[in-house]
Amino acid sequence: MGEKIRVVQVGCGLMGPILLGYLQEKGAEIAAVIDRNPARCGKKVDEVLSLQKPTGLTFEHPDKAEEIFRASNADVVIMATRTKMSDMADIMRTAAKCGINCITLGEEAFYPWNTSPEITRELDELAKAGNCTITGTGFQEIFCGYLVLAACASVQRVDRLEGLLLYNVDHYGSALIEHHGVGLDMDTFNEKITSTTSEIPEEPSYAWAYNEWICSNLGLTITSMTQSFKPVTQEVAVTSKTLELEIPAGQPAGLEARVITETKEGLTIDSRCVGKLFTESEDDLTEWRVVGEPNTTVSVPKPGTPFHSCASLINRIPDLIEAPAGFRTTETLGMAKYWIPGH
């Protein structure tokens, strides 16, 4: 990979500037930046963002994506926009038709084969026809994926995996915050979001995707999955800087998603994914408990979750470019590894 990798960035909210900065550090060339925010569209990237190096680019609107992709001579399209496959599919389709690899932080794309099978199969066929690869990654691949696999490899027997992912929703932009029900009153939250289902949900949580990813890696056969959503409240008022909104004590400040996966082999995965507005004393936390012989717990206090998310994506770019064509979830790309700049 001696030549510079050319990248089109789609989405430039809270995560976009981190990704662009990391790309420049790795020596990649930013070919275009696309964002639908009217406050940025048409403005010069270098006047809005403080990056290490000037780009000479202008924020372009997604309506021009195909034109931009075809003119960019890009190797990779990075998406930092939405969570659901249905919301990301148009850009992925366009990238595939243009023969450009695409990688996203959108959480459902981490393992969408069962939650959005028709879209994923369509994208798989388009990517194969365009001789390019589509995948999804982020914080969860390392901290809710390989970290769990490493813990399992250190014990004699695994009966149960119990996971907790705790993160501040205010670090990820307005789309994610609203997806967690922040700003709704309790009655509206319970009406629209609170739920329990054993069917494949219309709104799969992040834990649904990484539970399936873990099972795929361990060779487990899933027999059932149950997902529940409930509101998270705080005892004091908390403020979203992103939404410029104060949430009163006792009102929904976020969402707890719990996914319990049972397998034919008898191993259970019980994952809790808690995204909320934090008080001043709270910090991100990732923790996994392996119940078996022996019991063990791996804990990552205060991870820089948004920065790890972006770095995980950037480090996957060489694997993406070298991967066989199609929609490829990351367990098929080989072990995640550090991308040495210049290599």
Side-chain angles (χ1 to χ4, degrees):
M1 303 189 67
E3 296 183 3
K4 279 193 173 184
I5 295 172
R6 288 177 58 81
V7 179
V8 175
Q9 170 73 37
V10 180
C12 207
L14 293 179
M15 306 297 274
I18 301 173
L19 289 163
L20 291 170
Y22 285 0
L23 284 167
Q24 289 188 334
E25 283 188 16
K26 295 291 188 183
E29 187 172 345
I30 301 166
V33 181
I34 296 174
D35 192 89
R36 69 171 57 256
N37 188 331
R40 288 189 284 268
C41 236
K43 292 186 177 179
K44 295 185 182 300
V45 172
D46 302 324
E47 294 177 358
V48 177
L49 305 179
S50 298
L51 299 176
Q52 293 179 358
K53 303 174 185 177
T55 66
L57 299 171
T58 300
F59 286 104
E60 304 286 357
H61 195 274
D63 288 349
K64 298 170 63 180
E66 183 170 356
E67 175 187 342
I68 293 165
F69 290 173
R70 293 195 183 279
S72 68
N73 195 31
D75 302 290
V76 177
V77 170
I78 292 177
M79 291 184 65
T81 52
R82 296 286 179 171
T83 292
K84 294 175 63 177
M85 289 294 291
S86 57
D87 294 328
M88 297 184 282
D90 282 347
I91 289 291
M92 291 178 173
R93 288 186 188 104
T94 304
K97 290 175 182 177
C98 295
I100 305 176
N101 303 294
C102 183
I103 186 168
T104 179
L105 288 175
E107 286 82 1
E108 190 186 355
F110 188 53
Y111 204 92
W113 292 109
N114 296 316
T115 52
S116 293
E118 293 182 2
I119 292 174
T120 309
R121 285 195 298 268
E122 177 200 358
L123 292 169
D124 183 49
E125 292 173 2
L126 286 172
K128 287 174 178 173
N131 194 30
C132 57
T133 308
I134 304 173
T135 195
T137 186
F139 180 89
Q140 68 274 31
E141 181 178 6
I142 307 302
F143 294 90
C144 301
Y146 285 110
L147 182 68
V148 181
L149 299 182
C152 290
S154 75
V155 303
Q156 167 63 17
R157 189 187 71 251
V158 180
D159 299 324
R160 183 179 179 89
L161 296 171
E162 298 174 351
L164 171 63
L165 178 60
L166 178 64
Y167 53 95
N168 188 344
V169 294
D170 216 29
H171 292 163
Y172 299 93
S174 58
L176 184 140
I177 296 173
E178 292 166 359
H179 186 73
H180 284 66
V182 176
L184 301 178
D185 60 53
M186 189 62 74
D187 288 341
T188 304
F189 189 106
N190 286 330
E191 178 185 346
K192 292 187 173 182
I193 298 178
T194 299
S195 61
T196 300
T197 181
S198 296
E199 305 293 331
I200 293 175
E202 290 186 12
E203 297 283 346
S205 76
Y206 309 156
W208 189 287
Y210 58 71
N211 276 19
E212 288 203 87
W213 189 95
I214 292 168
C215 288
S216 178
N217 269 278
L218 292 177
L220 299 171
T221 302
I222 296 172
T223 56
S224 69
M225 295 183 72
T226 302
Q227 173 177 282
S228 60
F229 285 166
K230 67 178 184 180
V232 177
T233 61
Q234 296 281 24
E235 295 181 356
V236 296
V238 286
T239 300
S240 167
K241 294 180 181 178
T242 303
L243 297 182
E244 299 181 344
L245 180 68
E246 182 178 272
I247 305 301
Q251 290 300 310
L255 168 70
E256 176 180 323
R258 184 178 185 183
V259 177
I260 299 175
T261 302
E262 303 288 353
T263 68
K264 180 181 178 181
E265 293 77 9
L267 192 155
T268 299
I269 306 176
D270 186 349
S271 297
R272 291 169 56 226
C273 190
V274 182
K276 61 180 180 176
L277 295 174
F278 280 6
T279 63
E280 292 184 359
S281 63
E282 293 180 298
D283 287 296
D284 287 18
L285 172 68
T286 301
E287 187 167 276
W288 285 88
R289 181 168 181 254
V290 181
V291 180
E293 174 55 39
N295 295 335
T296 191
T297 298
V298 288
S299 182
V300 183
K302 301 183 181 180
T305 308
F307 302 98
H308 288 303
S309 293
C310 293
S312 297
L313 182 149
I314 297 298
N315 282 321
R316 269 299 189 189
I317 287 176
D319 300 325
L320 175 76
I321 292 172
E322 297 298 325
F327 194 109
R328 302 280 177 176
T329 43
T330 56
E331 84 280 12
T332 70
L333 301 184
M335 180 73 177
K337 53 188 178 293
Y338 174 60
W339 174 14
I340 301 172
H343 284 221

